[in-house]
Amino acid sequence: MGAISEARRACRDPVCPILLSFGVIAAPPAALSAQGEPGVPPNVVVFVADDLGWRDIGVYGNTIIRTPNIDRLARSGLRIAHAFGTTPQCSPSRISTLTGKYAHATRTEDLHTPLPTGERMLPSYAQEQGYFTGIMAKTHIGEAGERQFQWYSSELSQALASFLDSAGTRPFLLWVGFHDPHRPYEGGTRRSPHSPARVSVPPYLADTPETRADIVRYYDEITRMDGEIGRMLDELERRQLRENTLVVFFSDNGAPFPREKGTLYDAGTRTPLIFSWPAMIREGSVYDRGLISLIDLAPTLLELMKASPSRGVQGRSFRALLAKPESYAGRTHVFSERNWHDCDEHQRAVRSRRFKLIRTDAYTELPLCTAADIGGSPSFRALQARARAGRLTAAQRRLFEVPRARLELYDLTADPWELRNVAADPRHSAELKELALMLQEWAEESDDFPAAYRIRDDNTDRITGLLFTPRIPPLRNTDIPPPDQRWGKQQSELGM
């Protein structure tokens, strides 16, 4: 779609059922218990924040941040307590969510990798059901993905009226990609900024005036995004479209701070997730029974649109959740991955309600990669200054740990910040073994590949956090063996 490609230059920023035996597949869909007219496919508006931490919204427990419109959206519908993306990186996360496939399955696991030609996304299926589809502001999915939408604007609330006029009487799907709260930050975002003295500083950051000022600018951009959301909701109300419009809100990945975005800790992959559909979803609902993965969002929306995704889609619809959250089981485990993002990683993770296992299959002799936009931040520089002075706390030292453990196991009930690796603790050997086997089976079933393949050099220094070349290094070792030769033999096959 040439209009999209031209307009986005003005923007700021550039396979089978899975592990059924482990109970990670959501329960089969049930009919919605309609509060409004049953059987009418909804309009759909999807709000996607850019680098928003799951804790950084009022309804998710942050009492300092000002998000009145997102809070209002949550009160009008359903808030998910434990929701997770499939990757803590921008373009892989968006493509995974729109396709219902893990990023490695579409070979879009590295940052800035465009959707391959021939891969279908949510809007192409929706159009077959008569939907008018549009995308706003940030796309970051590549031209093959952009062409699957019929309408584009680089603006946000100012362009909503134009989109709705273009839709006419047709049902519509609108994907809204905010730029906030992505770095870089500028002063003066808000006339009344947040107070540095009141912001929340996680234990792995240095609590300095510079860090607090950095967090203030991040909070202020979230509030600016919240205002855009409020104006769009008001326009839908003004046109009397709100009743049968399903509004979804989530973030592509975690906040742009050290040990958050770009990591497989909850600060990188956990997301706020809100559904509001006055005609169908009871207001004030909260789902806290099971885990929800964004891999399942596209299949869910497609079922509501009465569309059928292709067989290769790996997510499964959680339509029943929207109707009866009090009885929906949800997933017992969710999966995530971290690949190239300014520097290379090959990490995979599986999370249950209580435990998380992270497996790092390459570069354990090097520090965890910090993305370049974070590496230049006041928060990262404050940590570096403390490191030079020998004043890092145990929590802050984890970011610079070398060598890194191949396996990290966290008891999330006892250690919600994921600071104490208990993989070597014999008290958790059963959980470690179960999750390790589950993670390997997921990798094999979902068309993943070992760390020796699809390698890319760094363009950012892991020690200083500085980008040393603007070029994205080429992929190496791209000839992945067929699945039956990819992972080696079982020890049992060798008589061991």
Side-chain angles (χ1 to χ4, degrees), residues 66-367:
R66 297 192 290 271
T67 53
N69 295 296
I70 300 173
D71 296 348
R72 168 167 61 108
L73 186 70
R75 288 193 298 269
S76 72
L78 172 64
R79 177 173 66 86
I80 308 300
H82 295 90
F84 300 87
T86 62
T87 174
Q89 306 161 252
C90 180
S91 59
S93 173
R94 293 163 192 264
I95 291 174
S96 175
T97 303
L98 279 161
T99 59
K101 297 181 180 182
Y102 293 100
H104 61 253
T106 57
R107 303 299 186 250
T108 58
E109 72 278 4
D110 289 355
L111 185 71
H112 305 315
T113 304
L115 182 78
T117 301
E119 286 284 353
R120 296 186 67 184
M121 304 177 81
L122 176 64
S124 72
Y125 297 106
Q127 288 165 36
E128 293 178 345
Q129 302 304 115
Y131 276 74
F132 181 69
T133 64
I135 185 168
M136 282 182 169
K138 184 164 184 174
T139 60
H140 212 175
I141 54 178
E143 289 191 11
E146 293 168 348
R147 284 196 297 268
Q148 295 184 39
F149 289 91
Q150 298 160 290
W151 181 96
Y152 174 75
S153 174
S154 61
E155 297 181 323
L156 291 165
S157 58
Q158 310 95 309
L160 180 57
S162 173
F163 171 77
L164 296 174
D165 290 343
S166 298
T169 59
R170 291 171 288 181
F172 57 81
L173 163 67
L174 178 62
W175 182 275
V176 182
F178 295 102
H179 291 292
D180 290 336
H182 195 290
R183 294 181 186 274
Y185 297 145
E186 301 172 355
T189 299
R190 305 293 303 167
R191 290 182 180 178
S192 177
H194 291 81
S195 168
R198 301 185 66 200
V199 301
S200 177
V201 182
Y204 42 77
L205 295 184
D207 192 347
T208 67
E210 294 79 12
T211 298
R212 286 180 171 272
D214 202 19
I215 295 173
V216 162
R217 289 187 285 269
Y218 163 69
Y219 278 16
D220 287 349
E221 289 215 356
I222 295 170
T223 299
R224 179 169 64 185
M225 174 186 66
D226 182 84
E228 289 282 355
I229 289 174
R231 288 186 283 276
M232 287 193 240
L233 294 176
D234 289 345
E235 180 67 12
L236 292 172
E237 291 277 7
R238 189 183 71 79
R239 293 181 180 237
Q240 299 182 346
L241 293 169
R242 186 69 184 85
E243 184 73 8
N244 196 43
T245 297
L246 169 60
V247 178
V248 185
F249 174 83
F250 66 91
S251 179
D252 60 346
N253 48 245
F257 289 86
R259 212 171 183 265
E260 298 193 1
K261 169 186 172 179
T263 78
L264 296 183
Y265 305 117
D266 274 12
T269 59
R270 192 167 174 179
T271 177
L273 181 58
I274 295 168
F275 297 93
S276 176
W277 182 8
M280 293 291 179
I281 298 175
R282 289 191 300 274
E283 64 181 18
S285 301
V286 178
Y287 178 71
D288 194 27
R289 295 188 71 214
L291 309 180
I292 299 299
S293 174
L294 292 182
I295 196 73
D296 299 325
L297 180 61
T300 301
L301 297 179
L302 289 175
E303 186 180 1
L304 293 171
M305 297 172 181
K306 303 186 184 302
S308 298
S310 64
R311 290 183 59 190
V313 169
Q314 295 169 317
R316 295 293 181 267
S317 172
F318 53 72
R319 180 177 185 258
L321 166 67
L322 306 183
K324 295 184 178 180
E326 67 280 359
S327 61
Y328 186 75
R331 285 179 177 259
T332 60
H333 297 81
V334 293
F335 299 90
S336 57
E337 60 183 301
R338 202 286 194 190
N339 301 282
W340 189 91
H341 188 134
D342 300 333
C343 29
D344 207 14
E345 295 283 359
H346 192 98
Q347 294 181 300
R348 304 293 184 261
V350 55
R351 188 199 196 277
S352 68
R353 184 65 174 261
R354 180 177 173 185
F355 290 99
K356 178 189 289 179
L357 177 67
I358 300 174
R359 193 176 88 186
T360 301
D361 288 347
Y363 313 110
T364 55
E365 74 282 5
L366 300 173

